Amino acid sequence: MALTPVEGSTAAQPTAAQPTAAQPAAAGAAQTPAAVAAEAPAAQVQSLVVASATDGITLNRASYAATTPEELASIEAARAEQERARLAAAITNGQLSSVASALPVGGGVVRPLPYFNNFGTPYAGHKGVDYMVGAGTPISSIADGVVIESSESGPGWGVYVKVAHNINGTSVTSLYAHMTYGTRTVQVGDRVAAGQVIGQVGSTGRAFGAHLHLEVQVNNGYVNGESWLVANGA
């Protein structure tokens, strides 16, 4: 038998099922953030706090150290130049004690040339050893040291470089003369390492043919450079 609604009845009319707190929305239905938060257990609810404004902090470039390889290399180069200038000033002013204290203590001695053809003929008053070899041959420092003279126009030597060494506590200097113009790679105050190229063979100054004129002094006294090299293992 059909039921006829009574006029004025407040009975609810059949409608689509509505989700409740105990009945989650159907899969795929859009949910508001509030609804999601209401469904999640309290222990799983997370909050995000966003600062309303950034603090007005100005970084001071001097307040932090350099970290990039380029910055570190620049700092090291600046320090090396300051040290070179200090040593150069001491050398110019005759303060050789300052230079002596800066000399690296080294025992390794090497030959100044990769090869040579023959020795020059010695003569009276000649204080060095002449190594006859072609122009442009690289010349190397015979030991670690500090450059104390470097010039394009030395007296009789032409283009030359002079280096002070500390060979196991002994004061030694080496001078390399008759280099080719414009080939010096060091200046006064520079530190050099054994075997470091400092110039190229030439024939400047009082020279007859391309060769290296090498002078070695030990404790301010001239010695035969070749004999000294051999005696020290070069």
Side-chain angles (χ1 to χ4, degrees), residues 60-74:
N60 183 352
R61 179 65 179 82
S63 67
Y64 59 93
T67 56
T68 68
E70 292 76 12
E71 288 177 315
L72 295 175
S74 178

Side-chain angles (χ1 to χ4, degrees), residues 74-227:
S74 178
I75 291 173
E76 185 61 28
R79 288 175 179 170
E81 177 55 26
Q82 289 178 349
E83 176 65 3
R84 187 208 66 76
R86 183 187 72 80
L87 291 175
I91 293 167
T92 301
N93 296 328
Q95 299 170 340
L96 298 183
S97 59
S98 298
V99 178
S101 63
L103 290 176
V105 178
V109 176
V110 300
R111 301 197 68 84
L113 297 169
Y115 60 88
F116 66 99
N117 299 325
N118 56 276
F119 293 107
T121 303
Y123 55 88
H126 190 249
K127 298 178 180 179
V129 176
D130 290 340
Y131 297 87
M132 310 307 293
V133 66
T137 303
I139 301 171
S140 303
S141 175
I142 61 174
D144 296 348
V146 174
V147 178
I148 57 175
E149 295 179 30
S150 182
S151 173
E152 288 283 297
S153 57
W157 298 316
V159 181
Y160 80 102
V161 170
K162 187 174 183 179
V163 182
H165 316 276
N166 182 346
I167 308 298
N168 295 324
T170 300
S171 174
V172 177
T173 62
S174 57
L175 184 147
Y176 314 80
H178 308 312
M179 294 181 179
T180 298
Y181 287 118
T183 64
R184 289 177 302 126
T185 62
V186 294
Q187 56 184 323
V188 174
D190 279 345
R191 293 175 181 268
V192 295
Q196 178 178 332
V197 174
I198 58 176
Q200 296 177 12
V201 171
S203 56
T204 58
R206 291 197 297 270
F208 299 95
H211 69 280
L212 166 65
H213 171 87
L214 175 69
E215 294 183 6
V216 175
Q217 293 187 58
V218 177
N219 292 326
N220 296 319
Y222 286 98
V223 298
N224 181 287
E226 176 62 19
S227 298

Side-chain angles (χ1 to χ4, degrees), residues 31-40 45:
Q31 291 179 281
T32 65
V36 173
E39 292 179 10
V45 175

